[in-house]
Amino acid sequence: MAATPIAVITGASSGIGAATARQLATAGYRVVLTARRKDRIEALAAEINEAGHEATAYALDVTDREAVDTFATAFHTLAVLVNNAGGALGADPVATGDPADWRQMYETNVIGTLNVTQALLPALTASGDGTIVVLSSTAALAAYEGGGGYVAAKHGEHVLAETLRLEIVGTPVRVIEVAPGMVKTEEFATTRFRGDTEKAAKVYAGVDAPLTADDVADTITWAVTRPSHVNIDLLVVRPRAQASNAKIHRTL
């Protein structure tokens, strides 16, 4: 009997990461949930196991290279890596943005993705059929006012995925990038505005049906479960009410 394929999901403690873990588990993967918040991923792993699937929790900060390298030693082969850990901080213009915020966003979105991808690439290759998913954003493809630091980080993540795909062509590993537009989750905007729920709510005010975490997880799961020879290089997904980063239909 073939072993159950393993999928690692970073940033799995909430939002898109948690939704992706649930959906990949349902699709037949043994999911390994990583995030800094151990209690969250342990609760999610218990939920998935109780539903009859397979899940393991592992507390991990993707910006800690030593910890990432230690984590990677657990895997001889690996089917899927979903680089979901990331996030945005602040919405200040470039002229007054906090360099510390820019640095933290770059470390999490770009260096974190680099750390985990480098550490797990040998196991993904050894599987003979590996898939790397980079969850970027439409911010990776176009700028918008007040998003400079996040846009810069996500552009970096996009280029990482694009370059890696060029460099490992001919190996049995796919590189898939999923770039969501407006997604309403329980934490993204609140974290961006440092707990200011009023500011966070304004992001989605008047928007008919922003994307949900499940919408994006469904997209990721679809891309991952395509036949091995099919590579979804870049998939942009937005709600119908959003035509671009700056063009959003609102009913106020």
Side-chain angles (χ1 to χ4, degrees), residues 130-136 158 161-162 165 173-179 216 218-237:
T131 299
I132 296 168
V133 177
V134 174
L135 189 76
S136 63
H158 165 70
E162 192 172 40
R165 191 181 302 114
V173 179
R174 301 182 293 184
V175 180
I176 293 169
E177 180 181 356
V178 176
V216 181
D218 181 58
T219 301
I220 293 168
T221 302
W222 175 83
V224 166
T225 56
R226 294 312 86 207
S228 297
H229 70 287
V230 178
N231 197 104
I232 309 300
D233 284 13
L234 173 62
L235 197 161
V236 176
V237 53

Side-chain angles (χ1 to χ4, degrees), residues 180-192:
M182 179 181 282
V183 186
K184 186 176 183 180
T185 63
E186 66 268 30
E187 292 188 335
F188 181 83
T190 304
T191 298
R192 183 170 205 166

Side-chain angles (χ1 to χ4, degrees), residues 91-115:
D92 299 313
V94 172
T96 57
D98 186 342
D101 287 346
W102 283 57
R103 187 173 294 111
Q104 185 173 338
M105 285 186 280
Y106 189 85
E107 285 286 336
T108 306
N109 290 280
V110 183
I111 303 303
T113 295
L114 178 66
N115 284 342

Side-chain angles (χ1 to χ4, degrees), residues 9 21 34 99 114 137 186 198:
I9 302 100
T34 74
L114 178 66
S137 166
E186 66 268 30
E198 186 176 342

